[in-house]
Amino acid sequence: MIRQFPLDLRWPPHQRLDAFWPGPNVPALQGVSDAVKGAGAWLYLHGASGTGKSHLLIAACRASLEAKGPARYVSLAQLAAPRSDAIADIQPEGLLAIDDVQAVAGDRD
């Protein structure tokens, strides 16, 4: 297997927890904030497109890295085929934020 080296890319500066206007999504913001603090629980965000799910996931990763904790953001929609191989290669350590789960719906692999 060819070893891949991660690129040191930065997320858009506006995608931060303190820049998220929660409106009716206060529980989602609180859950993500708790996950960043190491609550050690699974958290599943769901909602309509444009409600801030990706913003929260990226902001959580940023906050975790700023606190010197490991974090990884993975968009399943952006993984190259075969996705099953790419997903199997993810080494979760610390905060693992998986976005765009709908991209693999119906894919048995």
Side-chain angles (χ1 to χ4, degrees), residues 15-65:
Q15 290 183 309
R16 307 179 59 83
L17 290 176
D18 60 1
F20 182 76
W21 183 78
N25 296 321
V26 172
L29 178 59
Q30 185 61 52
V32 169
S33 296
D34 290 347
V36 169
K37 294 174 188 169
W42 285 85
L43 178 64
Y44 178 77
L45 301 175
H46 65 92
S49 178
T51 56
K53 299 177 300 293
S54 295
H55 179 131
L56 282 175
L57 293 176
I58 290 170
C61 288
R62 179 191 303 276
S64 182
L65 290 172

